[in-house]
Amino acid sequence: MIRTVISFQPYEQTIELLKTKYNTLSEDGSFFAIFSTEYDSMGNVIHDFFQIIQKGVSMGYDYVNTIIYPTLDLQNVTFPDNIRYVVWLCKNNTEMYLNKDNIREKHIWKDVEWGKRAKNYNPKGKDPGNVWIPTNDDGHANITEHILLSDKNIIDRIISMTDSFEDNEIFYNPLVQKNIVQNKYSESNIRNESKPSAKVIFDTSEKMNYVKDNSINVVITSPPYWNLKDYFKEGQIGQEPYNQYLSRMKSVWSECYRVLNPDGSLWININIRKHNHKVILIPYDFIKMCKELGFYYKGIFIWHKSSGIPTGKKNIVDRHEYVLVFSKKENFVLNKNFLSAITDYKNNLINGGAFWNINKKAGSIGKKYIHPAIYPNDLVCRIINMTTQKNDFVLDPFLGSGTSLIASLQCGRNFIGYEYNEGFQELMQSRFEKELTNSDKSIEFINNF
């Protein structure tokens, strides 16, 4: 029996290996599929790593995690895709072998990893995460370099953390598609600048009657997860059975398709989650339904968070989320010049691609207001600047605390947002007072309840 199988092959060969190697894995064994998204000649996604997870789970594997790392094997599609995924599946979650000590990195803080909180400190090094970009530092908690690992480094790490130096099988035959399609972003027909405005509608986004057909340039949203966070109002999306949740979400994505103009795009910030030890592939289901509605699936951006959620002895720390990209027409273009100017990492071999290292405030906004899921303004601003021009229209069907509204007005775009819980208005207004200038505060609230 083999403890570790590593596949670095195209999609079809990877699925075949999943089938043939299941019975050869030991009960404490793991299967790692190293994979890059596969595209067609128009930059549409053919196969992604979510499909590998879905296939593996259907064959009886348990899903553990997805590790990501940047690569020099750049695929120049709608955007420069420099992401490698490592889908981590195992034979048995309770028996799986993992030695995190072998892949720990040293603490960069002078005392302990998180200030003076000794409970978060392990003298062997910090708990490893699922974004593999090691760092060097100056000894005073300042990162001086982000290190780009080679594919061989990644394979060595996998073998090390499973202690399978002589108990592994490696199948190496990657398919790397480079320079598939080159899109040029044009800034012609710039609109006359005027004061942007915003409208907040308290209603369900399953039917957005206030928004006209083909009137929106970009939809940016972080939708509610299923059965995870309570947004404090009966009838909210996310608290019903999973099939009903997906049906309601499909109504929202259908409305987004209706209101987007032909050049428009949909950006969804979402992640995989687990419930009762079972993987819930929300991104996979969203992709499937959006394609059914007519959207073109253009790929994934990575939101890399330096802070993460501890996951216990049998897993590594979750330090990233996904931003799924869909377009209404096949030949979708975005501003690659803006993207290439982003410098989140102290290594230009990583910058300019699909990795964004953006931190967010932890928890809710202060003690007075409770909102359990705040995402950063900068994440929204980047998407806006890559996809729109001044005075274009941005829509968020799940506005929450108002992040996308703030980012839109700060970027000089008009905005429409839907929010089911009218009780968040006070929270929004508190944020608007702090984060928007007086000239930006042309905001209308409409309560449809």
Side-chain angles (χ1 to χ4, degrees):
M1 303 296 280
I2 300 296
R3 175 179 284 175
T4 303
V5 175
I6 301 173
S7 169
F8 193 171
Q9 302 202 88
Y11 177 79
E12 298 296 344
Q13 289 90 327
T14 298
I15 300 306
E16 186 61 29
L17 273 177
L18 280 169
K19 294 177 184 176
T20 59
K21 294 300 174 181
Y22 182 84
N23 290 328
T24 67
L25 271 182
S26 59
E27 283 299 306
D28 65 353
S30 294
F31 185 109
F32 296 87
I34 304 175
F35 186 75
S36 294
T37 302
E38 295 175 5
Y39 299 88
D40 67 17
S41 61
M42 292 300 295
N44 303 307
V45 175
I46 303 172
H47 296 298
D48 65 16
F49 78 98
F50 297 120
Q51 293 171 281
I52 295 176
I53 299 172
Q54 190 274 333
K55 289 288 188 182
V57 170
S58 71
M59 295 176 194
Y61 289 90
D62 288 334
Y63 172 70
V64 184
N65 211 318
T66 299
I67 299 161
I68 59 170
Y69 65 99
T71 175
L72 289 177
D73 288 329
L74 190 71
Q75 299 190 87
N76 206 349
V77 284
T78 303
F79 52 86
D81 183 349
N82 63 336
I83 309 168
R84 286 255 210 272
Y85 303 89
V86 184
V87 175
W88 181 3
L89 304 163
C90 71
K91 191 74 169 283
N92 186 326
N93 257 323
T94 58
E95 300 294 327
M96 183 194 76
Y97 183 88
L98 171 63
N99 185 348
K100 289 196 282 190
D101 290 344
N102 285 353
I103 58 169
R104 291 184 184 276
E105 297 170 29
K106 69 184 183 70
H107 295 282
I108 66 171
W109 296 91
K110 183 178 180 181
D111 295 306
V112 294
E113 183 65 12
W114 298 108
K116 297 289 184 180
R117 288 182 284 177
K119 67 182 180 66
N120 294 323
Y121 179 74
N122 185 324
K124 295 179 180 179
K126 61 184 178 183
D127 212 20
N130 59 6
V131 180
W132 283 4
I133 307 177
T135 61
N136 285 323
D137 66 274
D138 62 1
H140 301 282
N142 298 305
I143 292 173
T144 58
E145 180 187 14
H146 289 93
I147 300 169
L148 181 72
L149 297 176
S150 68
D151 296 324
K152 184 181 183 305
N153 294 148
I154 298 298
I155 291 171
D156 289 344
R157 271 194 165 204
I158 293 170
I159 292 172
S160 180
M161 76 181 191
T162 56
D163 278 334
S164 55
F165 299 97
E166 296 181 358
D167 190 16
N168 67 77
E169 290 185 317
I170 301 172
F171 300 87
Y172 184 90
N173 184 27
L175 169 66
V176 179
Q177 308 173 75
K178 296 186 181 182
N179 301 316
I180 295 170
V181 60
Q182 286 278 6
N183 288 325
K184 293 183 179 179
Y185 180 86
S186 172
E187 297 203 32
S188 59
N189 301 318
I190 298 295
R191 296 157 178 79
N192 293 325
E193 289 196 23
S194 59
K195 182 180 177 182
S197 63
K199 183 181 292 185
V200 178
I201 301 151
F202 291 107
D203 200 351
T204 177
S205 52
E206 293 163 275
K207 195 66 178 174
M208 295 187 278
N209 294 325
Y210 282 88
V211 190
K212 296 178 181 179
D213 294 359
N214 305 310
S215 62
I216 300 297
N217 300 93
V218 65
V219 178
I220 307 168
T221 194
S222 181
Y225 286 78
W226 174 72
N227 199 29
L228 181 62
K229 293 174 180 176
D230 187 351
Y231 291 89
F232 319 115
K233 185 175 179 181
E234 186 178 353
Q236 64 189 296
I237 294 177
Q239 300 300 306
E240 61 282 277
Y242 189 61
N243 285 341
Q244 292 180 27
Y245 165 78
L246 292 180
S247 177
R248 296 182 71 184
M249 289 303 306
K250 190 170 185 178
S251 296
V252 176
W253 306 139
S254 177
E255 281 291 274
C256 291
Y257 188 88
R258 175 184 66 82
V259 303
L260 277 170
N261 69 27
D263 294 320
S265 57
L266 166 65
W267 299 66
I268 304 172
N269 169 217
I270 196 70
N271 205 348
I272 298 167
R273 68 164 304 232
K274 290 184 178 181
H275 179 67
N276 293 332
H277 305 292
K278 179 182 177 183
V279 63
I280 309 297
L281 277 173
I282 301 175
Y284 174 86
D285 290 321
F286 282 2
I287 292 164
K288 183 179 177 181
M289 66 177 63
C290 284
K291 289 172 70 175
E292 289 173 354
L293 291 168
F295 281 106
Y296 292 96
Y297 175 32
K298 309 305 288 189
I300 304 168
F301 277 81
I302 296 297
W303 172 18
H304 173 197
K305 301 176 289 185
S306 296
S307 59
I309 301 172
T311 52
K313 294 181 179 180
K314 288 285 187 177
N315 213 322
I316 54 181
V317 177
D318 186 8
R319 295 189 188 276
H320 70 265
E321 294 182 20
Y322 308 105
V323 182
L324 311 178
V325 186
F326 303 91
S327 64
K328 197 167 181 178
K329 73 177 185 181
E330 191 167 25
N331 188 27
F332 170 62
V333 295
L334 53 76
N335 189 342
K336 289 184 179 179
N337 291 332
F338 177 85
L339 180 61
S340 65
I342 295 173
T343 55
D344 291 332
Y345 298 97
K346 291 181 171 61
N347 186 330
N348 282 331
L349 295 175
I350 303 174
N351 292 322
F355 277 83
W356 288 343
N357 189 195
I358 307 171
N359 288 318
K360 70 171 184 176
K361 296 178 181 178
S364 300
I365 303 176
K367 297 180 179 179
K368 184 178 179 182
Y369 305 107
I370 299 176
H371 186 276
I374 307 296
Y375 70 149
N377 294 14
D378 192 31
L379 180 67
V380 182
C381 285
R382 292 183 182 192
I383 298 169
I384 289 171
N385 284 314
M386 285 198 304
T387 58
T388 64
Q389 301 167 4
K390 295 288 186 180
N391 290 104
D392 276 353
F393 278 84
V394 180
L395 169 71
D396 187 345
F398 299 102
L399 182 54
S401 69
T403 296
S404 51
L405 184 152
I406 294 168
S408 297
L409 293 186
Q410 287 175 338
C411 293
R413 273 64 166 178
N414 296 292
F415 179 83
I416 300 174
Y418 273 75
E419 173 49 51
Y420 187 70
N421 191 338
E422 70 274 23
F424 287 161
Q425 180 171 346
E426 186 180 356
L427 164 60
M428 291 181 194
Q429 290 177 315
S430 173
R431 290 193 67 191
F432 300 160
E433 287 298 317
K434 294 176 182 177
E435 300 181 53
L436 292 172
T437 65
N438 289 330
S439 61
D440 286 333
K441 292 176 183 173
S442 179
I443 302 169
E444 177 185 3
F445 289 91
I446 300 171
N447 192 332
N448 210 34
F449 292 108

